[in-house]
Every structure is written in structure tokens, then in C-alpha cells.
Amino acid sequence: MVPYKHYSLLAIACLMWMAGCSSPYVENNMIEEIAPVVFWSVDKGTEGKFKISTLVPPLIQEKKRLLTKEVDLLKQGGKEFNLIYNRELKQGQLRMVLINEELAKKGGIEKLVNTILVDPDISMRVYLLIVRGNFDEYIKHQLTKQENQDYFLYRMLKHYEDYNQGEMSIVNIHQFMKKLYSPLEAPILPVFRSDKNNFNYIGTAFFQEDKEVMVIQDVDDEIFQLLDNDHFLKVLAIPKLSVSLGRVRSNVRMKLSRDYSSLSLHVGLNGRIEEYQGEKEIQSEEQLEHVIQEIEIYLEEQTSDLLKRMQRWKVDPLEVGTHSLKPFSKEITEKQWLKYWGNIKINVDYDIKIQPLNNVERLM
Amino acid sequence: MVEKYDPQMKSYQLPTWLDELKQKLNHMDDAEVVEHRMGTSASVHLLYINTLIDQERLNEAIIQPLHRCDGNSLSSCITNAKVSEVTSIEEAQQKIMQGYILLNDAVNDQWVGVQLETTLGRAVESSQTETVIYGAKDSFSEQIDKNITMLRRRLPITTLKSESFTVGSLSKTKVVLLYIDGLTNPKFISYARKKIESVDFDQFLDSSQLAAFMEDHHHSVFPQFLQTDRPDACAYALGEGKLTLLVSNSPFALLAPITFFHLFQSPEDYFLRWTVASLLRLIRYGSFIVSLALIPFYVALTTFHYQMVPLPILFVLLESRSKLPFTPFVEGLSMIVTLEIIKEASLRMPTKTSQTLGVIGGIVIGQAAVEAGFASKVLIVLMGISAIAFFLVPNYQMTKSMVLVQVFLLILASFLGLPGIVIGLIGTLAHLHGLTSLGQPYFAPISPFYGKGWLDLFIRGPLIWMRTRPDYLKPLRKWRQEMKK
């Protein structure tokens, strides 16, 4: 029995124990004997197999090699890599899993992702990416050109995740799985295009269950960032209207009718005009109003179009379905909701507030 | 001239005393037995050790007054020095060795002692071990009386009591126990008294030796008495309800009872603004943890938990460790030992040599070890941080003890990784919790918990809020303020 006066010590000891808690059986991971893997690239192989690739050694200044194996199981790949490399490959520092778009379209990536998710050695903060094209070819080509290409790729993803810059949809493995398992939510993943020389972000992929059904790009992707992902865009470029809005912040309000027949979407945008190459004289307040109105109409049309495509593909990445949830009422099922979602009449309204420009001729 | 036995004399022991004393002083070249005339008639024997006494004062205070004197007793002749009567031969021996002049007036059957100890010793200098920017600069010296004077000047109250003891069968070291009567808990006083009286050893060259005999836990690496050479720190401690022990020939006083957290307090904490002092104190605790756990943490991460290292740092670690022949444990341990060798060597060397040693140790060994591939760059950086962090703890004894704890944690980290470090820290915590200083819990006010004590624990609270003395010292007078009428 610990006297009550000494409870504080007991509490400190318990906190310390919890902070350092782990299995008493520690695994020897001497860092000079291991090769921590930073990414896994998973592609469709022959005869229903997976083609797994990784780069070793990922960090040390030694000659790098791209290892590729065709396997039935993901873990089998990890094991077989060890047999062909002198250091022990470890997945504890896995930071990116790149899944080929063909595989994602086929469906069934849930099992792949789950394998990584349930591995206690692997952190939950693993970025998931969809790759259009051949990533292996790109990495192989870059081996001689740029050192630590994989590491810099990770840094790029981390940068856009940390600061919510609204440039990219960055998704962690646990975020993907949470949306996958939650009713009324559709998972999303960023899509990158890869060829021999380039690896660049192109847009966001929407999933129905674990199957990629549509990819949005360019203005659509920017609208998606404003509507749901970051609610912020550093630059919203609208080439059609020859205008670029900067530092755009959005305030989105959705109102779903009680019978799920209509949705009113109100988007308040706050930003400034950073570039204008059109015909109008935006120094004049009247003409500026016209430009703003044009932008509003353009965004409303684009957004309506985007939402219609989502309805057509029966995906709801904006989580509109969650607005159907009310206290003390029965939760609508995902199947029911998607049925409603396909037929909802959507009314989009944009309200843009432009920060005051200098040298504007005011209307008297 | 030696007195002969005279059966007519009332006390036949006195000449025997002289004989006996002469016998005792045999083969001591600096012992003097001389005879002088007191006035015109009686002769007086003077016994002293001339290396212990002040020769000028002897002439001034004894010889000249004796020649001029026509009185009957020694005490009436010697007027400008303190004269004390000697009643036993043991006392006579002791006084001679303490710098007294013994005078024997055979006619009046009188033995007296006059203290004319030479004032050999350092002047009051500033503290070398506990330097402060603000605050008093004086520090204790080897002369115990001067040290008491410094304390009495800071606490000019009649309740500041001092009790003298003598310890050491050879060194006859004087120990003075100081406390404030009516404030310090009497239990501490009687406990300390009992402890001092039970001390049985031949020599005491420093107060730390006395502390070793008085400590409740001899085998612990943590000091249970606080050594300080600052009179202001002692006065503050006395005012809080602690005891102070002064030991002759040692410039370091002992303070007790203390807690573990006193080892992180500097006298300057109370001179700076409370916010600044609190920040410094937090930095000290932080650096304590860093100095103990940084190298073990490095070993644990590089041996077991590479997953925990952020990728950019792992990048650096992998590169720095990729070509080393030693395991992280061997690398860490050898660098700790090397650092201790450098530290120890620079302490024992003269100042100018130690500077060179610092350069050799820091640049040559550090850089060369990395270039030769014996140690990783990261470890050298961590060693540097850890070594500097050690010196932030104001108590030097504690700094030395911490190295042992560091090695203990390092060994655990090399076997068990982070759980090992946690087990080691919990073990250290449990050990600290079990310690006592003068019978009082060492880990107060955390355990046992005393809420008000936290005001002067991790932070140094504003002095205007610290109205009560620490509860864990159980002072008889709780309030620091006196009610003004």
C-alpha cells in the first residue's frame, strides 16, 4: 500500500513508464546494419501478382539500386528484397506508398493499405499516392541525375501537408482508411503523373469504396480544395477570364432540404486580384464589379458541373451526406444516401469579396 | 630550570605536570619551555609551540607584562590577552597544541593558558566554486572563527546558537553546529548532535568527510548534505530552518536537511528577478535531464528505435554511423570516458596547461576521432551538448555523481533501448525517493507532497509570495514575516 503522500511519485513513475512503453523484447535495429525503406511503389504485375519496387539504400551515400519483385503478397515483397540486398530492409520509416492508377481503378487497394496500417512497425503517417504512368522508370532514370530523389519527394509532400497551402490533396494512410470505413464519406487520394523525366501532381482521385472512379484536374481540383480540402488557395488562376485571385479563403455553407431533394451550396470567397490580363479596366469600380460577377458565374458553373459529375459517379467526397445527420433520428445508410445524392438538385451560389484595390475610381 | 619536588608544597602534582608536559613535548623542535621572572621575585614557566603562536604578541602580551608585574597572580599581570585557567593535564596538552601559551606559577599553584594563536590564513576572498554576478562576494576560509563571524554579521541575533564539537582522534577537528533557536526544528538539532557525537575516525581534512559519516545513506551517489562556501547561502538556509555545520580548516560549510532540488538552486536565484530566476532554474532542470539521457537516448535510437527518428535526422545519423567500426554503445561509453579523462586532467593541471588541454581535448580528440572513423559527428555534437549541460547544475558533487547515473542509463539503453532508459530513470527516481537527509525525505516537496513548497521548486516564485518557510523543514516559526505592531 502506497501512503497517499507518495501518490505523486507513483503518478510520475507511471507517466514515465507509459511514455516509454513498448514491448520489453526490443528488436535490434542498429542503423548501420539496416536500410530504412522510404517508399514502396505497387504496380500491377503479371498473372494477378503485384509488382513491388523500392529504392535501396534510400539515404546513405552509396550507389543506389532500384529493387523490383513480382509477388503475391505485399509482405512477401519486403521479405524477398532482403534476400537480394546486403543490409536488412526495414519498413519502420516507410513514408510513401505509391499505387499505380491501373491497380486503383481495378479496386482492392483496401487490403494493400490495411496490410501497412496494421503493421505496428510502420507509422500511421504514410502518404498514399496514385501514380499514372511508370514510376519505376522515372526513379531509375533519376538515380544518376539527382541524389535522394525519394527523400525530396517525401519532403515535398510533407511541406504541402504541414502548411495546408491548398495546392495539393495530401492524404495519409489513416485518413484514407477512416474515410473508407466511415459511412457518408468518400476517400480521396492525390494523383501524380509519371514518365521518364517528370513526376508531377495532376489532381485528386475520388474513390467509391476502394475503387478509383474519377479524377479531377486543374480548375476542378482547385474548386475542390476550396470546397472541402484546405479551404484555401494561394493562387486561383482562371485562364478563361484572364484573372488570378490570390490568397483565396473560402467559407462553405451547405443546406440540405429535409426530403433530400435539393442542396443549396453557398461559397463565400475572400481574396485579392493578383493578376488581370483581360480587357476590362479594373481600376474602375463598376468594371471591377463586372469582373467579380463574371468570376462568380464562372465558378458557379464549374462547381455545378463538378458536383453533377460527382452525382453521376455516385461519389460524395464533399461529405454532403453528413448534413443529413440529425440528433435523435435514424442514421441514413450510405447506400440510401448515394441513391438520393444522384438525384439531388444543386443550387450553387458564390459570393466573392475582393480586398480593396488601390487606385480604384469610385462611383460617385 | 626545572622545579624539584617539594613536600612542603600543597600540591605536589604541579611540578609533575610540568615534567609530564616536557616529556610530551620531547622531540618537538618547535616546542619551547622557558622561565621568566614575574616582577622581581617569582619565576614563571612558559610552555608553547613556537610555530603555532604569534611571537610578537607573546612579547607584547606576556613577557613584557610579566617583567613589569609586581602582582601576585598571573591573571592580574596579563591584562591585554584572554587568560583561562587550566584544570587538567589533558586540557593543558590540548591547549598547547591549539596555539595557547601555558603559564605555570609554581608559587601560587596556578596553571593558566593564553590564546596567542598565529593568525595564519587566507584573507576573505570571493568564492571560486559558486560564483555569482550579483550578491555578496565573500566566502568562507579555513579559519572557523572567521567563518562564524561572517555568519553572525549576517544574522545578528542572540538566537543564532553555536555548539562546538571535536572530531577526529588525530586531527582534533573543531566542528560547530549552528542553528536558530526557536526556529529550527529541535529534532534536527538533536539528530545532528547525536550523529556528530557518534563520529569515530582519526582525521577530518574537509567537511565532506564529516558529511560522509553523518549521511543516512553512505552508498548513494547523491549528496545528502549541501556543501557551500558562501556565507549568504548559509545564512539563508539558517533562516529557513536548516542547520549549518562549520568544520575547522575547511572553507565549506555543510547544510542540512536538504532535498534533491536544493542541488539545483544557486544563491543568485534569490537575487535575480523571479521570472528570470525561474527560467534559469527550468533550464537547469532541463539540462540535468539532457546531460543524463542524451547519450543513452542516442544509443537507444541508433540501436533499436530508428523508427522514432525523423527522416531528415535519420539521414544525418545513417551517414555519420555508416562507416564506424564500433557499436553505438561502445562509441558512447568510450567518448564519455574520454571526456571524463579530459575533465579530470584539466582540473588537476595548472590553469595555463589546462587551457592547452582543453584545446587538445576539444578540437584534436573530437575532430580527429571523427576523421579517423572512431566516433560519429553526431555523437561528438551530442557529447558537447551533454558536457556543457552537466555544468549547469550548480552543485559540483552532483555533477560528478551524474556521470555515474549517465553510464548506468547508457548500459540499460544499450540492452533495452528506450524502455531501458525509462526503467533506469524510474529506478533513479525510486532511489531518490528513498533517500533522507538528516532523517528528512530527500524528494520533498514532491513526495511527500507539500503544495507551498512548489513555489520555490521548479520555479523561484516571487519573494512577496513566499511568506512561509518550507513546510518540509518543519520550522517552529512558520511565517517569515513578523507582525508589525
PDB file of all heavy atoms in Angstrom, chain B residues 442-469:
ATOM      1  N   TYR B 442      14.126  13.198   1.081  1.00  0.00           N
ATOM      2  CA  TYR B 442      15.013  13.865   0.128  1.00  0.00           C
ATOM      3  C   TYR B 442      14.231  14.368  -1.080  1.00  0.00           C
ATOM      4  O   TYR B 442      14.710  15.218  -1.813  1.00  0.00           O
ATOM      5  CB  TYR B 442      16.041  12.827  -0.327  1.00  0.00           C
ATOM      6  CG  TYR B 442      17.292  13.358  -0.984  1.00  0.00           C
ATOM      7  CD1 TYR B 442      18.108  14.282  -0.346  1.00  0.00           C
ATOM      8  CD2 TYR B 442      17.672  12.915  -2.238  1.00  0.00           C
ATOM      9  CE1 TYR B 442      19.269  14.743  -0.940  1.00  0.00           C
ATOM     10  CE2 TYR B 442      18.834  13.367  -2.837  1.00  0.00           C
ATOM     11  CZ  TYR B 442      19.629  14.283  -2.180  1.00  0.00           C
ATOM     12  OH  TYR B 442      20.780  14.739  -2.767  1.00  0.00           O
ATOM     13  N   PHE B 443      13.061  13.805  -1.330  1.00  0.00           N
ATOM     14  CA  PHE B 443      12.337  14.169  -2.543  1.00  0.00           C
ATOM     15  C   PHE B 443      11.168  15.110  -2.267  1.00  0.00           C
ATOM     16  O   PHE B 443      10.320  15.333  -3.124  1.00  0.00           O
ATOM     17  CB  PHE B 443      11.867  12.910  -3.278  1.00  0.00           C
ATOM     18  CG  PHE B 443      11.954  13.045  -4.772  1.00  0.00           C
ATOM     19  CD1 PHE B 443      13.178  13.268  -5.387  1.00  0.00           C
ATOM     20  CD2 PHE B 443      10.834  12.977  -5.571  1.00  0.00           C
ATOM     21  CE1 PHE B 443      13.278  13.425  -6.759  1.00  0.00           C
ATOM     22  CE2 PHE B 443      10.917  13.123  -6.946  1.00  0.00           C
ATOM     23  CZ  PHE B 443      12.146  13.347  -7.539  1.00  0.00           C
ATOM     24  N   ALA B 444      11.121  15.640  -1.045  1.00  0.00           N
ATOM     25  CA  ALA B 444      10.093  16.653  -0.736  1.00  0.00           C
ATOM     26  C   ALA B 444      10.429  17.891  -1.547  1.00  0.00           C
ATOM     27  O   ALA B 444      11.592  18.105  -1.890  1.00  0.00           O
ATOM     28  CB  ALA B 444      10.122  16.955   0.749  1.00  0.00           C
ATOM     29  N   PRO B 445       9.507  18.730  -1.922  1.00  0.00           N
ATOM     30  CA  PRO B 445       8.072  18.699  -1.622  1.00  0.00           C
ATOM     31  C   PRO B 445       7.230  17.948  -2.659  1.00  0.00           C
ATOM     32  O   PRO B 445       6.022  18.086  -2.651  1.00  0.00           O
ATOM     33  CB  PRO B 445       7.721  20.182  -1.624  1.00  0.00           C
ATOM     34  CG  PRO B 445       8.647  20.790  -2.601  1.00  0.00           C
ATOM     35  CD  PRO B 445       9.901  19.985  -2.575  1.00  0.00           C
ATOM     36  N   ILE B 446       7.882  17.150  -3.516  1.00  0.00           N
ATOM     37  CA  ILE B 446       7.072  16.387  -4.482  1.00  0.00           C
ATOM     38  C   ILE B 446       6.493  15.159  -3.794  1.00  0.00           C
ATOM     39  O   ILE B 446       5.298  14.891  -3.857  1.00  0.00           O
ATOM     40  CB  ILE B 446       7.930  15.987  -5.717  1.00  0.00           C
ATOM     41  CG1 ILE B 446       8.253  17.236  -6.535  1.00  0.00           C
ATOM     42  CG2 ILE B 446       7.216  14.950  -6.563  1.00  0.00           C
ATOM     43  CD1 ILE B 446       9.016  16.985  -7.796  1.00  0.00           C
ATOM     44  N   SER B 447       7.362  14.455  -3.126  1.00  0.00           N
ATOM     45  CA  SER B 447       6.896  13.266  -2.426  1.00  0.00           C
ATOM     46  C   SER B 447       7.683  13.114  -1.135  1.00  0.00           C
ATOM     47  O   SER B 447       8.884  12.869  -1.211  1.00  0.00           O
ATOM     48  CB  SER B 447       7.099  12.036  -3.314  1.00  0.00           C
ATOM     49  OG  SER B 447       6.706  10.894  -2.640  1.00  0.00           O
ATOM     50  N   PRO B 448       7.086  13.330   0.006  1.00  0.00           N
ATOM     51  CA  PRO B 448       5.699  13.686   0.281  1.00  0.00           C
ATOM     52  C   PRO B 448       5.360  15.059  -0.301  1.00  0.00           C
ATOM     53  O   PRO B 448       6.225  15.913  -0.406  1.00  0.00           O
ATOM     54  CB  PRO B 448       5.609  13.733   1.801  1.00  0.00           C
ATOM     55  CG  PRO B 448       6.908  13.302   2.315  1.00  0.00           C
ATOM     56  CD  PRO B 448       7.882  13.252   1.225  1.00  0.00           C
ATOM     57  N   PHE B 449       4.101  15.216  -0.618  1.00  0.00           N
ATOM     58  CA  PHE B 449       3.669  16.422  -1.320  1.00  0.00           C
ATOM     59  C   PHE B 449       3.436  17.568  -0.331  1.00  0.00           C
ATOM     60  O   PHE B 449       2.721  17.424   0.640  1.00  0.00           O
ATOM     61  CB  PHE B 449       2.366  16.102  -2.064  1.00  0.00           C
ATOM     62  CG  PHE B 449       1.871  17.241  -2.894  1.00  0.00           C
ATOM     63  CD1 PHE B 449       2.401  17.501  -4.134  1.00  0.00           C
ATOM     64  CD2 PHE B 449       0.867  18.070  -2.418  1.00  0.00           C
ATOM     65  CE1 PHE B 449       1.946  18.562  -4.892  1.00  0.00           C
ATOM     66  CE2 PHE B 449       0.413  19.130  -3.172  1.00  0.00           C
ATOM     67  CZ  PHE B 449       0.958  19.373  -4.411  1.00  0.00           C
ATOM     68  N   TYR B 450       4.104  18.684  -0.615  1.00  0.00           N
ATOM     69  CA  TYR B 450       3.845  19.925   0.131  1.00  0.00           C
ATOM     70  C   TYR B 450       3.605  21.007  -0.908  1.00  0.00           C
ATOM     71  O   TYR B 450       4.558  21.471  -1.552  1.00  0.00           O
ATOM     72  CB  TYR B 450       5.041  20.313   0.998  1.00  0.00           C
ATOM     73  CG  TYR B 450       5.327  19.361   2.136  1.00  0.00           C
ATOM     74  CD1 TYR B 450       6.288  18.376   2.007  1.00  0.00           C
ATOM     75  CD2 TYR B 450       4.614  19.450   3.326  1.00  0.00           C
ATOM     76  CE1 TYR B 450       6.555  17.497   3.039  1.00  0.00           C
ATOM     77  CE2 TYR B 450       4.872  18.571   4.363  1.00  0.00           C
ATOM     78  CZ  TYR B 450       5.845  17.600   4.206  1.00  0.00           C
ATOM     79  OH  TYR B 450       6.097  16.730   5.233  1.00  0.00           O
ATOM     80  N   GLY B 451       2.352  21.381  -1.080  1.00  0.00           N
ATOM     81  CA  GLY B 451       1.952  22.307  -2.146  1.00  0.00           C
ATOM     82  C   GLY B 451       2.724  23.612  -2.160  1.00  0.00           C
ATOM     83  O   GLY B 451       3.193  24.054  -3.198  1.00  0.00           O
ATOM     84  N   LYS B 452       2.877  24.226  -0.970  1.00  0.00           N
ATOM     85  CA  LYS B 452       3.502  25.550  -0.942  1.00  0.00           C
ATOM     86  C   LYS B 452       4.976  25.489  -1.336  1.00  0.00           C
ATOM     87  O   LYS B 452       5.532  26.469  -1.816  1.00  0.00           O
ATOM     88  CB  LYS B 452       3.363  26.163   0.452  1.00  0.00           C
ATOM     89  CG  LYS B 452       1.987  26.766   0.663  1.00  0.00           C
ATOM     90  CD  LYS B 452       1.902  27.462   1.990  1.00  0.00           C
ATOM     91  CE  LYS B 452       0.475  27.930   2.225  1.00  0.00           C
ATOM     92  NZ  LYS B 452       0.249  28.297   3.610  1.00  0.00           N
ATOM     93  N   GLY B 453       5.571  24.337  -1.107  1.00  0.00           N
ATOM     94  CA  GLY B 453       6.982  24.173  -1.437  1.00  0.00           C
ATOM     95  C   GLY B 453       7.260  24.297  -2.935  1.00  0.00           C
ATOM     96  O   GLY B 453       8.373  24.578  -3.346  1.00  0.00           O
ATOM     97  N   TRP B 454       6.200  24.106  -3.732  1.00  0.00           N
ATOM     98  CA  TRP B 454       6.368  24.143  -5.188  1.00  0.00           C
ATOM     99  C   TRP B 454       6.663  25.558  -5.681  1.00  0.00           C
ATOM    100  O   TRP B 454       7.089  25.740  -6.810  1.00  0.00           O
ATOM    101  CB  TRP B 454       5.123  23.596  -5.890  1.00  0.00           C
ATOM    102  CG  TRP B 454       5.054  22.116  -5.834  1.00  0.00           C
ATOM    103  CD1 TRP B 454       4.976  21.366  -4.704  1.00  0.00           C
ATOM    104  CD2 TRP B 454       5.077  21.184  -6.919  1.00  0.00           C
ATOM    105  NE1 TRP B 454       4.943  20.023  -5.019  1.00  0.00           N
ATOM    106  CE2 TRP B 454       4.998  19.892  -6.372  1.00  0.00           C
ATOM    107  CE3 TRP B 454       5.150  21.327  -8.291  1.00  0.00           C
ATOM    108  CZ2 TRP B 454       5.003  18.750  -7.159  1.00  0.00           C
ATOM    109  CZ3 TRP B 454       5.148  20.190  -9.072  1.00  0.00           C
ATOM    110  CH2 TRP B 454       5.073  18.916  -8.514  1.00  0.00           C
ATOM    111  N   LEU B 455       6.392  26.522  -4.800  1.00  0.00           N
ATOM    112  CA  LEU B 455       6.668  27.918  -5.173  1.00  0.00           C
ATOM    113  C   LEU B 455       8.161  28.180  -5.300  1.00  0.00           C
ATOM    114  O   LEU B 455       8.585  29.122  -5.953  1.00  0.00           O
ATOM    115  CB  LEU B 455       6.067  28.823  -4.089  1.00  0.00           C
ATOM    116  CG  LEU B 455       5.625  30.210  -4.522  1.00  0.00           C
ATOM    117  CD1 LEU B 455       4.648  30.163  -5.661  1.00  0.00           C
ATOM    118  CD2 LEU B 455       5.023  30.949  -3.344  1.00  0.00           C
ATOM    119  N   ASP B 456       8.941  27.349  -4.661  1.00  0.00           N
ATOM    120  CA  ASP B 456      10.394  27.510  -4.753  1.00  0.00           C
ATOM    121  C   ASP B 456      11.018  26.172  -5.167  1.00  0.00           C
ATOM    122  O   ASP B 456      11.934  25.673  -4.524  1.00  0.00           O
ATOM    123  CB  ASP B 456      10.943  27.965  -3.399  1.00  0.00           C
ATOM    124  CG  ASP B 456      12.394  28.413  -3.503  1.00  0.00           C
ATOM    125  OD1 ASP B 456      12.853  28.650  -4.628  1.00  0.00           O
ATOM    126  OD2 ASP B 456      13.055  28.502  -2.460  1.00  0.00           O
ATOM    127  N   LEU B 457      10.446  25.603  -6.233  1.00  0.00           N
ATOM    128  CA  LEU B 457      10.921  24.268  -6.632  1.00  0.00           C
ATOM    129  C   LEU B 457      11.431  24.325  -8.079  1.00  0.00           C
ATOM    130  O   LEU B 457      12.609  24.584  -8.295  1.00  0.00           O
ATOM    131  CB  LEU B 457       9.770  23.277  -6.484  1.00  0.00           C
ATOM    132  CG  LEU B 457      10.050  21.836  -6.787  1.00  0.00           C
ATOM    133  CD1 LEU B 457      10.959  21.253  -5.728  1.00  0.00           C
ATOM    134  CD2 LEU B 457       8.760  21.035  -6.818  1.00  0.00           C
ATOM    135  N   PHE B 458      10.536  24.150  -9.020  1.00  0.00           N
ATOM    136  CA  PHE B 458      10.954  24.229 -10.419  1.00  0.00           C
ATOM    137  C   PHE B 458      11.071  25.680 -10.864  1.00  0.00           C
ATOM    138  O   PHE B 458      11.796  26.000 -11.771  1.00  0.00           O
ATOM    139  CB  PHE B 458       9.967  23.476 -11.317  1.00  0.00           C
ATOM    140  CG  PHE B 458       9.932  22.017 -11.004  1.00  0.00           C
ATOM    141  CD1 PHE B 458       8.801  21.420 -10.487  1.00  0.00           C
ATOM    142  CD2 PHE B 458      11.057  21.235 -11.195  1.00  0.00           C
ATOM    143  CE1 PHE B 458       8.780  20.082 -10.183  1.00  0.00           C
ATOM    144  CE2 PHE B 458      11.046  19.894 -10.893  1.00  0.00           C
ATOM    145  CZ  PHE B 458       9.910  19.317 -10.384  1.00  0.00           C
ATOM    146  N   ILE B 459      10.272  26.514 -10.216  1.00  0.00           N
ATOM    147  CA  ILE B 459      10.434  27.949 -10.453  1.00  0.00           C
ATOM    148  C   ILE B 459      10.850  28.578  -9.125  1.00  0.00           C
ATOM    149  O   ILE B 459      10.728  27.954  -8.082  1.00  0.00           O
ATOM    150  CB  ILE B 459       9.131  28.606 -10.960  1.00  0.00           C
ATOM    151  CG1 ILE B 459       7.996  28.433  -9.940  1.00  0.00           C
ATOM    152  CG2 ILE B 459       8.742  28.073 -12.310  1.00  0.00           C
ATOM    153  CD1 ILE B 459       6.901  29.420 -10.119  1.00  0.00           C
ATOM    154  N   ARG B 460      11.357  29.811  -9.202  1.00  0.00           N
ATOM    155  CA  ARG B 460      11.614  30.545  -7.963  1.00  0.00           C
ATOM    156  C   ARG B 460      10.536  31.611  -7.900  1.00  0.00           C
ATOM    157  O   ARG B 460      10.586  32.594  -8.623  1.00  0.00           O
ATOM    158  CB  ARG B 460      13.017  31.162  -8.011  1.00  0.00           C
ATOM    159  CG  ARG B 460      13.577  31.480  -6.674  1.00  0.00           C
ATOM    160  CD  ARG B 460      13.055  32.784  -6.105  1.00  0.00           C
ATOM    161  NE  ARG B 460      13.773  33.921  -6.662  1.00  0.00           N
ATOM    162  CZ  ARG B 460      13.287  35.147  -6.680  1.00  0.00           C
ATOM    163  NH1 ARG B 460      12.091  35.410  -6.204  1.00  0.00           N
ATOM    164  NH2 ARG B 460      13.991  36.120  -7.211  1.00  0.00           N
ATOM    165  N   GLY B 461       9.514  31.328  -7.091  1.00  0.00           N
ATOM    166  CA  GLY B 461       8.365  32.223  -7.028  1.00  0.00           C
ATOM    167  C   GLY B 461       8.748  33.605  -6.508  1.00  0.00           C
ATOM    168  O   GLY B 461       9.830  33.792  -5.959  1.00  0.00           O
ATOM    169  N   PRO B 462       7.855  34.583  -6.694  1.00  0.00           N
ATOM    170  CA  PRO B 462       8.149  35.931  -6.186  1.00  0.00           C
ATOM    171  C   PRO B 462       8.342  35.902  -4.670  1.00  0.00           C
ATOM    172  O   PRO B 462       7.599  35.206  -3.962  1.00  0.00           O
ATOM    173  CB  PRO B 462       6.888  36.715  -6.538  1.00  0.00           C
ATOM    174  CG  PRO B 462       6.143  35.895  -7.506  1.00  0.00           C
ATOM    175  CD  PRO B 462       6.543  34.486  -7.325  1.00  0.00           C
ATOM    176  N   LEU B 463       9.320  36.637  -4.205  1.00  0.00           N
ATOM    177  CA  LEU B 463       9.622  36.603  -2.760  1.00  0.00           C
ATOM    178  C   LEU B 463       8.421  37.080  -1.938  1.00  0.00           C
ATOM    179  O   LEU B 463       8.200  36.603  -0.832  1.00  0.00           O
ATOM    180  CB  LEU B 463      10.841  37.469  -2.456  1.00  0.00           C
ATOM    181  CG  LEU B 463      12.176  36.907  -2.951  1.00  0.00           C
ATOM    182  CD1 LEU B 463      13.291  37.885  -2.694  1.00  0.00           C
ATOM    183  CD2 LEU B 463      12.499  35.567  -2.314  1.00  0.00           C
ATOM    184  N   ILE B 464       7.637  38.001  -2.516  1.00  0.00           N
ATOM    185  CA  ILE B 464       6.495  38.502  -1.732  1.00  0.00           C
ATOM    186  C   ILE B 464       5.420  37.436  -1.546  1.00  0.00           C
ATOM    187  O   ILE B 464       4.543  37.569  -0.700  1.00  0.00           O
ATOM    188  CB  ILE B 464       5.874  39.770  -2.354  1.00  0.00           C
ATOM    189  CG1 ILE B 464       5.572  39.549  -3.831  1.00  0.00           C
ATOM    190  CG2 ILE B 464       6.747  40.983  -2.153  1.00  0.00           C
ATOM    191  CD1 ILE B 464       4.623  40.618  -4.389  1.00  0.00           C
ATOM    192  N   TRP B 465       5.458  36.390  -2.358  1.00  0.00           N
ATOM    193  CA  TRP B 465       4.514  35.281  -2.163  1.00  0.00           C
ATOM    194  C   TRP B 465       5.082  34.210  -1.227  1.00  0.00           C
ATOM    195  O   TRP B 465       4.340  33.388  -0.719  1.00  0.00           O
ATOM    196  CB  TRP B 465       4.171  34.616  -3.501  1.00  0.00           C
ATOM    197  CG  TRP B 465       3.340  35.458  -4.396  1.00  0.00           C
ATOM    198  CD1 TRP B 465       2.800  36.692  -4.114  1.00  0.00           C
ATOM    199  CD2 TRP B 465       2.932  35.157  -5.743  1.00  0.00           C
ATOM    200  NE1 TRP B 465       2.106  37.170  -5.191  1.00  0.00           N
ATOM    201  CE2 TRP B 465       2.165  36.253  -6.208  1.00  0.00           C
ATOM    202  CE3 TRP B 465       3.147  34.074  -6.583  1.00  0.00           C
ATOM    203  CZ2 TRP B 465       1.622  36.278  -7.479  1.00  0.00           C
ATOM    204  CZ3 TRP B 465       2.605  34.103  -7.859  1.00  0.00           C
ATOM    205  CH2 TRP B 465       1.842  35.200  -8.295  1.00  0.00           C
ATOM    206  N   MET B 466       6.386  34.206  -1.108  1.00  0.00           N
ATOM    207  CA  MET B 466       7.000  33.144  -0.280  1.00  0.00           C
ATOM    208  C   MET B 466       6.997  33.587   1.184  1.00  0.00           C
ATOM    209  O   MET B 466       8.031  33.882   1.757  1.00  0.00           O
ATOM    210  CB  MET B 466       8.413  32.848  -0.783  1.00  0.00           C
ATOM    211  CG  MET B 466       8.405  32.111  -2.114  1.00  0.00           C
ATOM    212  SD  MET B 466       9.897  32.279  -3.085  1.00  0.00           S
ATOM    213  CE  MET B 466      11.094  31.601  -2.019  1.00  0.00           C
ATOM    214  N   ARG B 467       5.796  33.655   1.740  1.00  0.00           N
ATOM    215  CA  ARG B 467       5.681  34.210   3.093  1.00  0.00           C
ATOM    216  C   ARG B 467       5.942  33.189   4.185  1.00  0.00           C
ATOM    217  O   ARG B 467       6.179  33.540   5.320  1.00  0.00           O
ATOM    218  CB  ARG B 467       4.272  34.782   3.280  1.00  0.00           C
ATOM    219  CG  ARG B 467       4.041  35.939   2.368  1.00  0.00           C
ATOM    220  CD  ARG B 467       2.659  36.469   2.487  1.00  0.00           C
ATOM    221  NE  ARG B 467       2.505  37.558   1.530  1.00  0.00           N
ATOM    222  CZ  ARG B 467       1.615  38.509   1.626  1.00  0.00           C
ATOM    223  NH1 ARG B 467       0.792  38.521   2.646  1.00  0.00           N
ATOM    224  NH2 ARG B 467       1.537  39.450   0.719  1.00  0.00           N
ATOM    225  N   THR B 468       5.854  31.931   3.829  1.00  0.00           N
ATOM    226  CA  THR B 468       6.084  30.919   4.862  1.00  0.00           C
ATOM    227  C   THR B 468       7.377  30.172   4.569  1.00  0.00           C
ATOM    228  O   THR B 468       7.814  30.087   3.426  1.00  0.00           O
ATOM    229  CB  THR B 468       4.924  29.903   4.893  1.00  0.00           C
ATOM    230  OG1 THR B 468       4.751  29.393   3.582  1.00  0.00           O
ATOM    231  CG2 THR B 468       3.647  30.517   5.377  1.00  0.00           C
ATOM    232  N   ARG B 469       7.932  29.640   5.617  1.00  0.00           N
ATOM    233  CA  ARG B 469       9.140  28.830   5.454  1.00  0.00           C
ATOM    234  C   ARG B 469       8.728  27.453   4.927  1.00  0.00           C
ATOM    235  O   ARG B 469       7.581  27.044   5.127  1.00  0.00           O
ATOM    236  CB  ARG B 469       9.850  28.690   6.807  1.00  0.00           C
ATOM    237  CG  ARG B 469      10.286  30.022   7.343  1.00  0.00           C
ATOM    238  CD  ARG B 469      11.273  29.911   8.474  1.00  0.00           C
ATOM    239  NE  ARG B 469      11.858  31.220   8.693  1.00  0.00           N
ATOM    240  CZ  ARG B 469      11.350  32.140   9.506  1.00  0.00           C
ATOM    241  NH1 ARG B 469      10.262  31.892  10.195  1.00  0.00           N
ATOM    242  NH2 ARG B 469      11.932  33.314   9.624  1.00  0.00           N
TER     243      ARG B 469
END
